[in-house]
Amino acid sequence: METVTSNNININIAQGVSESQFDGGLLGLLGVHLVGAIIIICTLGICSPWAICRCERWYIEHTIINGHRLKFTGTAMGLFGIWIKIFLLSIITLGIYSFWARLTVKKWIVKHTVFA
């Protein structure tokens, strides 16, 4: 058995033993996405970072890996800064940077995901 330490949490990893699961339900998923879509439409996309953070928080906080629940620590204001950077770089590069936009957002999300 191997022990890994991350953020002051000791995780015992036994070979072949996996206790990972997702415990979210359909109604919760629909609710989060519906509220996000309404907010995006009503604000003409300005609050997209809020909707993205809300959806990612729901997915991440319903994920359990090796018996430990995950937690999302990102904020909409933090993602809004990334959003502005993506917008400006996409304009400067005539849209070429937009191919990296999704990757940039995903890296930010993973950076703000920790064990609860």
Side-chain angles (χ1 to χ4, degrees):
M1 187 180 314
E2 178 184 353
T3 301
V4 178
T5 303
S6 175
N7 294 338
N8 298 325
I9 298 174
N10 290 327
I11 302 171
N12 293 324
I13 301 172
Q15 286 186 326
V17 176
S18 177
E19 298 175 25
S20 300
Q21 64 181 358
F22 182 79
D23 64 1
L26 180 62
L27 289 179
L29 177 66
L30 289 175
V32 166
H33 281 281
L34 184 63
V35 169
I38 291 170
I39 294 296
I40 289 172
I41 291 168
C42 290
T43 63
L44 303 175
I46 293 172
C47 289
S48 292
W50 179 86
I52 291 170
C53 284
R54 184 77 179 118
C55 289
E56 289 298 326
R57 179 171 285 111
W58 187 86
Y59 282 115
I60 290 168
E61 292 184 358
H62 283 89
T63 302
I64 300 169
I65 298 187
N66 287 330
H68 293 76
R69 189 168 295 276
L70 298 179
K71 182 179 180 181
F72 182 66
T73 61
T75 64
M77 289 306 294
L79 184 55
F80 192 74
I82 301 288
W83 209 252
I84 296 297
K85 179 180 115 179
I86 289 169
F87 178 72
L88 293 175
L89 286 174
S90 294
I91 290 173
I92 292 169
T93 62
L94 303 175
I96 294 172
Y97 187 77
S98 64
F99 294 111
W100 282 271
R102 194 172 179 132
L103 181 62
T104 302
V105 171
K106 186 54 83 175
K107 285 181 179 181
W108 182 85
I109 290 167
V110 170
K111 182 179 177 183
H112 291 89
T113 302
V114 296
F115 285 108

